[in-house]
Amino acid sequence: MRQINHDLGRDPSVRAACIAIVDYLAGQPVQNLQHITFGALGRMAGTTSLAEIMPAIRYLTGAALPLLDPQFEFIDGEFIEPLSTTEVAEARGSGIFYHPESGEQVADFATKIFMHFSLSEEGKGLTTCR
Amino acid sequence: MLQSELRAKGLAAASGWDGLLQRYATLPGAAEERNELTEHFKDIYSRQLFYGRKAVSIYAADEAVIQRLTVGLADLVDNTSPFAARYPMPVDEATLRQCSFDPVLVSVERDGDNVRIISSCKRFYKAREPIEMSALEESAQTALSGYDEVFGVKMGIVQAFDFIVLRSDLNRLEIHIDLCCPMVAEDLSRARSWYMERISPLIGDLDGWSAGFGLPKNFFPLISTLYNTPDGNVISLGHATGTKSVKEEKMRQRSLDLREELFHKEGIRAIGHTDAFSIMKAWSVDGSIGRPTVTIPGHFSIAGAINAHVPHVIVEGCATREDFETILAKLN
């Protein structure tokens, strides 16, 4: 909390959102925080606005206080496949993505890659253990 | 719904409309009694036409827009089409095969202060059904003996009745797509877009209308509202957990409430919160023989998304206008 107050002293709304999120995470068992959505983070911070929650997410995934790790999944119908950050970056850079199951090129892959968050090792240190 | 209607009148049930008409055509009885039955069947048909299973989308539209659309859409009615000639009844299959897939406006009707424009079209569908191996000839069974399950794809055409409803009382336009055959989200989006692309130009140069209709009402935020509002009963809920699972829970009977089911309650209590992506909820309406139900459909990929958009709801189980309006009122 000290670090948040130090880093975000001049941005009270982002500071408040980060504190609310960290407060919530600290009170939860680790197993409940394996798949954290944008909506869940918004709920923790008391907002339904992506524009309002993004600065807090950037801070909590950034170098200063990396409590959250971004995660990616390819979802096509009922098929779900986790993707690494490197795989996503390569697909975005090249504009080409191959279906993990069929091997076929996926034309509209950008609409089928979804992001969520998990606790980083540092983040896990915050939570209750059950 | 047909079976419920027949049971409510103390009439013998039948299998679908064809079965019903065949069964009652052979029943003995006075002409007056048969005429009364015929009128009753017409009433059931008419109510199902308007309030049967529909995908409903809603757009904001003020009085000036509604007035322009009332005139503009009436001018687009094609009284020469086979659909208009037979309305409200469907055309026969041979005629249907000759018709285009494009919708045709066939009638304009007043419903109190509101206006309903009826559109009809041929709709193509593809349905995938399991095939019982034991029903096949021996040679086919042998050829398919290496398979655990066999499915067939049935393709067909059906006549749909869609509605454009202009609601002066609520300052909005509703598109009701007839779910008379299987339709996925993309089919519904195409059907809705077809109508909106023809409706939008009718507004013309109305003051303050440069931005157009925009997106239809987003029903995604209503999923949690419907779940948390204690009335009615939640029949099913699709939700995803922070423990990396995707759940699609459903009660076996539509009169039961998932929120009271032990497994569901204890699960929610154990992890505190889940991200819902779909819901089906029903209400009992006094005097109704149906159980009006609304589904906000969604895929698990939108669970927990802040900007998710669900542009339609599915309304079913309605026998009357009152049932249908009860559901729409829950979505305001």
Side-chain angles (χ1 to χ4, degrees), chain A residues 31 34-35 37 39 43 48 77 114, chain B residues 242-243 273 275 299 301 304 306:
Chain A
Q31 63 263 31
Q34 298 174 64
H35 187 111
T37 62
R43 205 168 45 244
T48 56
F114 297 86
Chain B
T243 46
H273 196 92
D275 291 312
H299 187 267
S301 59
I306 281 189

Side-chain angles (χ1 to χ4, degrees), chain B residues 79-249:
Chain B
N79 292 309
T80 66
S81 81
F83 293 140
R86 281 284 293 166
Y87 175 76
M89 301 307 290
V91 300
D92 59 64
E93 190 172 335
T95 306
L96 186 62
R97 288 194 181 281
Q98 300 298 315
C99 292
S100 160
F101 284 101
D102 283 343
V104 175
L105 302 192
V106 299
S107 181
V108 179
E109 295 172 2
R110 287 247 163 226
D111 182 18
D113 289 332
N114 300 322
V115 176
R116 182 191 288 126
I117 297 99
I118 295 91
S119 169
S120 194
C121 66
K122 179 170 73 177
R123 203 155 268 159
F124 170 79
Y125 69 90
K126 219 189 257 193
R128 184 172 170 268
E129 294 172 359
I131 294 174
E132 281 299 324
M133 295 270 258
S134 56
L136 300 174
E137 288 180 6
E138 207 175 308
S139 56
Q141 287 189 42
T142 307
L144 296 168
S145 60
Y147 295 94
D148 298 311
E149 289 179 279
V150 174
F151 291 87
V153 175
K154 195 184 286 185
M155 293 186 279
I157 54 170
V158 66
Q159 183 180 352
F161 290 93
D162 301 330
F163 305 120
I164 303 164
V165 184
L166 305 175
R167 305 280 309 243
S168 301
D169 56 344
L170 295 173
N171 282 337
R172 71 191 199 195
L173 174 158
E174 297 170 4
I175 304 285
H176 299 189
I177 303 293
D178 186 2
L179 292 176
C180 51
C181 63
M183 293 180 80
V184 297
E186 288 74 21
D187 297 331
L188 289 170
S189 176
R190 262 195 302 274
R192 187 173 56 246
S193 294
W194 192 96
Y195 289 112
M196 294 312 292
E197 282 163 13
R198 279 141 191 88
I199 288 171
S200 295
L202 298 176
I203 309 297
D205 57 356
L206 197 62
D207 278 346
W209 194 249
S210 57
F213 280 102
L215 290 175
K217 181 184 173 87
N218 182 12
F219 293 104
F220 182 73
L222 283 176
I223 294 174
S224 60
T225 305
L226 288 180
Y227 182 86
N228 292 318
T229 307
D231 69 352
N233 54 288
V234 172
I235 300 165
S236 72
L237 185 75
H239 52 144
T241 68
T243 46
K244 286 186 111 49
S245 73
V246 176
K247 312 244 180 265
E248 299 203 36
E249 297 183 84

